[in-house]
Amino acid sequence: MANDMDTPTPEEQALADEWAAALAEAGDASQDDIDALMNQGSPAPSSPRAPMEEFGSVPKASGPVSLDGPNLDVILDIPVSISMEVGNTDITIRNLLQLNQGSVIELDRLAGEPLDVLVNGTLIAHGEVVVVNEKFGIRLTDVISPSERIKKLR
């Protein structure tokens, strides 16, 4: 049994009823007024339109393409947080609340072991503590390769 094209489905009828209610609220606006409002925001037929691109297509290059890889100049000025980790440990909240001045917390590292250098929480190097102009610093002793850093991000 074929569905008659002139008979609206219940969904179409509900949508038509909603439109009719909205138009009734609009007052005495005629269909010509509504059409004029709808066409007001659309571009003139003679204006040029940008071509549509397929989703997932490779964007066209707008500038010179380098064979060296992506241009990193865009991200070089983004600030990142760098920290040095001497060690860590797990304690209970009870022990945490009992800490006071002079308390000693045992860490999981041996004295003289290299520190971890973290950038935004990701290990990038190991180093040792040095003093530079009466301030602490760190001398990098082992920098993790970029491929290893990428693996750690996953």
Side-chain angles (χ1 to χ4, degrees):
M1 211 179 199
N3 188 7
D4 188 12
M5 295 300 281
D6 294 334
T7 306
T9 65
E11 293 86 17
E12 291 173 334
Q13 185 60 44
L15 183 61
D17 292 342
E18 287 181 35
W19 274 104
L23 290 173
E25 287 178 16
D28 58 350
S30 68
Q31 186 62 40
D32 293 335
D33 295 336
I34 294 169
D35 290 340
L37 285 173
M38 295 295 288
N39 291 330
Q40 195 172 19
S42 64
S46 63
S47 66
R49 298 182 73 174
M52 296 283 289
E53 292 186 20
E54 289 288 323
F55 178 72
S57 65
V58 178
K60 296 175 185 170
S62 59
V65 176
S66 169
L67 298 177
D68 300 335
N71 183 1
L72 297 178
D73 290 340
V74 176
I75 64 169
L76 291 179
D77 292 328
I78 296 174
V80 293
S81 176
I82 186 168
S83 59
M84 278 41 92
E85 187 174 282
V86 175
N88 58 53
T89 191
D90 293 326
I91 64 172
T92 63
I93 293 175
R94 180 183 321 283
N95 291 341
L96 178 66
L97 294 173
Q98 292 173 352
L99 293 177
N100 54 34
Q101 188 173 354
S103 296
V104 175
I105 301 172
E106 185 178 347
L107 301 176
D108 63 350
R109 296 258 173 109
L110 298 173
E113 257 189 277
L115 307 177
D116 290 342
V117 179
L118 307 166
V119 173
N120 287 346
T122 302
L123 179 68
I124 63 144
H126 297 286
E128 59 189 16
V129 176
V130 295
V131 177
V132 180
N133 297 330
E134 299 180 10
K135 293 183 180 181
F136 286 114
I138 190 165
R139 178 181 294 122
L140 300 180
T141 56
D142 180 33
V143 178
I144 296 175
S145 70
S147 61
E148 287 297 317
R149 282 182 254 168
I150 290 172
K151 285 180 189 175
K152 288 184 181 284
L153 290 175
R154 294 181 183 164

